[in-house]
Amino acid sequence: MADATERTEHLRRGRGIAVLWFAVLAAPLAWMLGLNAEYGLVRVACAKNSNLALHLVSLATLVIALAGGWVAWREWKRTGREGPGEDGGPLPRSRMMVVMGLMASALFSLAIVTQWVASLFFNPCMAI
C-alpha cells in the first residue's frame, strides 16, 4: 500500500505532471519543429551543396522524440507496469498519459526516420 501511495504522491506534484506532459508531447512537437526547420533549410542546403544541416535537424528531432519515449517508459515502470484502469484519480490518468507517450514516440520517431531517409536519397536542389 505504501508503494501505491508513493506513486500517487509523485504524480500529484507539479514536476510529476510536467514529466508526463513531456512524455506525451515531446515526439509530436519534435516532428513538427523538425519538419519546419528542414523546409527552411532546404535553400541553405542547396546553396552550400551539403545536406549536413538537414541531417543534423533530423538527428536532433529523433533524439528528442526518443527521449520522450524513454521518459514515458521510465514513468510506465514507476506507475506499476499496468495499463490504465477504469478507476479515477491520478494513477490511471498517469498510466493513460504514459501509454499515449509511448505510442506517440514510436509513431513520430518512425515519421522522422522516414523523412530522414528521403533527405538521404534526394538532392535538396530538386525541391526548389
Side-chain angles (χ1 to χ4, degrees):
M1 183 69 176
D3 188 36
T5 305
E6 180 183 318
R7 286 186 298 210
T8 303
E9 285 304 314
H10 162 70
L11 300 170
R12 290 181 191 267
R13 292 187 217 125
R15 185 174 187 273
I17 295 169
V19 167
L20 291 172
W21 278 112
F22 175 78
V24 171
L25 296 176
L29 288 176
W31 170 78
M32 180 186 67
L33 293 173
L35 182 66
N36 287 312
E38 286 179 5
Y39 274 121
L41 290 172
V42 166
R43 289 189 187 271
V44 173
C46 181
K48 292 186 175 185
N49 201 19
S50 171
N51 287 356
L52 182 62
L54 300 175
H55 295 312
L56 291 176
V57 168
S58 295
L59 180 64
T61 56
L62 183 62
V63 167
I64 293 169
L66 292 176
W70 177 77
V71 168
W73 179 262
R74 187 188 69 198
E75 290 301 311
W76 183 67
K77 290 193 303 188
R78 180 181 253 175
T79 58
R81 293 184 181 209
E82 295 177 19
E86 297 197 17
D87 300 334
L91 194 58
R93 177 205 65 213
S94 301
R95 288 178 177 159
M96 181 64 187
M97 290 179 76
V98 164
V99 169
M100 288 173 50
L102 286 169
M103 290 190 301
S105 178
L107 175 70
F108 285 100
S109 294
L110 180 64
I112 291 167
V113 168
T114 56
Q115 289 172 348
W116 194 356
V117 167
S119 71
L120 287 172
F121 290 109
F122 296 113
N123 185 351
C125 296
M126 292 175 52
I128 296 177

